[in-house]
Amino acid sequence: MLRGVLGKSFRLVGYTIQYGCIAHCAFEYVGGVVMCSGPSMEPTIQNSDIVFAENLSRHFYGIQRGDIVIAKSPSDPKSNICKRVIGLEGDKIHTSSSSDFFKSHSYVPMGHVWLEGDNLQNSTDSRYYGPIPYGLIRGRIFFKYMKPRIYEPMETASGVRASGG
Amino acid sequence: MLRGVLGKSFRLVGYTIQYGCIAHCAFEYVGGVVMCSGPSMEPTIQNSDIVFAENLSRHFYGIQRGDIVIAKSPSDPKSNICKRVIGLEGDKIHTSSSSDFFKSHSYVPMGHVWLEGDNLQNSTDSRYYGPIPYGLIRGRIFFKLPSPRFCSKLEMARSKRSLHTSVCCG
């Protein structure tokens, strides 16, 4: 009786480990669903948007300029960041703001990428912590789930209520 | 007949993927065997030494000063480096060489570690590329396989000259 229960629980643990490993490898090597939070990628990705990320590009070193990537944060290894790749290794990056008289620039070192958020006024990115090593990139976002938007009646300039479709 | 062969090959592929995933997760989360190459960690780790690395410490953020870690190289994401952790985030690191008159130092930023090889004259480490993010660390080395050494007459002569006794094995 006890032997039967023990045998069943070992089998259950075995199946859990087995399918857990397969699921982990699927998320690690193929891709998964991610929820982004924060305003740094507006208007491309809003706060709490659901996006689909694929992890094959980074394993085959196929990340290109303009891709939106998910990476481990260089200042906090427990959290992830979601930014756009502005420059790859060897690229020239303009680091001065438009108000500076002298334009300053720097080159992205080997093995690094330069990330910036689309919402430049409200984004902590490579302009703050510098280029990040390519090894921190975890995946590339290729699809955003468009949530159906509920329209509320809006007041027009003349004060007449009108509802949008 | 064809259906039997197809069924068998699908089952084979299925088992391969299944056990491949389990093996990958074992190496990723538990540990594995690594061969280190290069002179940057001599005499602690020689070229072509076999070491055992465990990957649990980095997932539980238990890497400490003095640990020897394996990390992805910050200048080449396809290769790994094997160095000792000299400083954790917030630590003060002396970056000047002993010949400088003014001692200069810097602080390790949040989320980064400072790595140096034991063979300081022949090691490309954080003194060259700066502190590396903690996220690049892959595992911690906890055991080295003792390598048998073959003594040659030349080595005996050299060690006699330097007043060392040469050890043949271990």
Side-chain angles (χ1 to χ4, degrees):
Chain A
M1 167 71 181
L2 183 64
R3 205 180 294 174
V5 171
L6 269 179
K8 280 196 178 131
S9 33
F10 273 130
R11 257 200 301 272
L12 181 68
V13 168
Y15 281 131
T16 309
I17 293 178
Q18 210 168 350
Y19 292 116
C21 289
I22 294 172
H24 168 81
C25 287
F27 284 126
E28 174 83 12
Y29 286 100
V30 179
V33 183
V34 180
M35 189 175 93
C36 291
S37 61
S40 61
M41 282 299 292
E42 286 176 359
T44 316
I45 299 175
Q46 312 278 345
N47 193 17
S48 308
D49 268 354
I50 310 275
V51 295
F52 290 79
E54 56 89 2
N55 299 339
L56 294 168
S57 299
R58 67 135 174 156
H59 281 108
F60 292 109
Y61 302 98
I63 301 286
Q64 296 173 358
R65 285 175 207 87
D67 285 346
I68 304 175
V69 296
I70 294 177
K72 275 196 212 171
S73 165
S75 23
D76 179 16
K78 297 179 191 173
S79 59
N80 296 323
I81 58 175
C82 175
K83 307 284 175 198
R84 193 182 291 273
V85 175
I86 301 298
L88 299 173
E89 58 185 15
D91 288 354
K92 189 170 168 178
I93 299 288
H94 293 281
T95 51
S96 62
S97 62
S98 50
S99 59
D100 290 347
F101 186 69
F102 294 102
K103 300 290 178 197
S104 64
H105 59 265
S106 63
Y107 290 91
V108 181
M110 287 292 116
H112 287 66
V113 294
W114 186 273
L115 303 180
E116 282 180 12
D118 284 355
N119 187 5
L120 286 173
Q121 278 87 16
N122 201 355
S123 167
T124 311
D125 46 38
S126 285
R127 296 169 298 156
Y128 172 72
Y129 41 68
I132 72 161
Y134 190 99
L136 288 181
I137 294 177
R138 299 192 64 188
R140 184 182 72 93
I141 293 175
F142 67 96
F143 182 73
K144 183 181 94 162
Y145 172 63
M146 300 291 288
K147 286 197 288 259
R149 298 199 181 284
I150 299 172
Y151 288 91
E152 292 175 324
M154 293 185 306
E155 288 201 0
T156 60
S158 58
V160 175
R161 278 178 171 265
S163 58
Chain B
M1 167 71 181
L2 183 63
R3 205 180 292 176
V5 170
L6 269 178
K8 281 198 177 128
S9 35
F10 273 129
R11 256 200 300 274
L12 181 67
V13 167
Y15 280 132
T16 310
I17 294 179
Q18 212 168 351
Y19 291 116
C21 291
I22 294 172
H24 168 80
C25 287
F27 284 125
E28 173 82 13
Y29 286 101
V30 180
V33 184
V34 179
M35 189 175 93
C36 291
S37 59
S40 62
M41 282 300 292
E42 286 177 358
T44 316
I45 299 176
Q46 311 279 347
N47 193 16
S48 309
D49 269 352
I50 310 275
V51 295
F52 290 79
E54 56 91 359
N55 299 338
L56 293 167
S57 298
R58 68 138 173 153
H59 282 108
F60 292 110
Y61 303 98
I63 300 287
Q64 296 174 356
R65 284 175 209 88
D67 285 347
I68 304 176
V69 295
I70 294 177
K72 274 194 213 173
S73 166
S75 24
D76 179 17
K78 298 180 190 171
S79 59
N80 296 322
I81 56 174
C82 174
K83 308 284 175 200
R84 193 182 290 273
V85 175
I86 301 297
L88 299 173
E89 59 185 12
D91 287 353
K92 190 170 166 178
I93 300 288
H94 293 281
T95 50
S96 63
S97 62
S98 50
S99 59
D100 291 347
F101 185 69
F102 295 103
K103 298 290 176 197
S104 65
H105 59 265
S106 65
Y107 290 91
V108 181
M110 287 292 116
H112 287 66
V113 293
W114 186 273
L115 303 181
E116 281 179 14
D118 284 355
N119 187 4
L120 285 172
Q121 278 86 15
N122 201 355
S123 167
T124 311
D125 47 38
S126 286
R127 295 169 298 158
Y128 171 72
Y129 44 65
I132 74 161
Y134 190 99
L136 288 180
I137 294 177
R138 301 191 62 187
R140 184 182 73 92
I141 293 176
F142 65 96
F143 181 71
K144 183 184 96 163
L145 207 61
S147 52
R149 299 202 179 286
F150 295 101
C151 295
S152 63
K153 284 187 185 159
L154 188 60
E155 263 189 316
M156 294 284 278
R158 269 212 295 269
S159 35
K160 270 184 194 161
R161 213 168 51 152
S162 58
L163 297 176
H164 279 151
T165 54
S166 62
V167 179
C168 280
C169 292

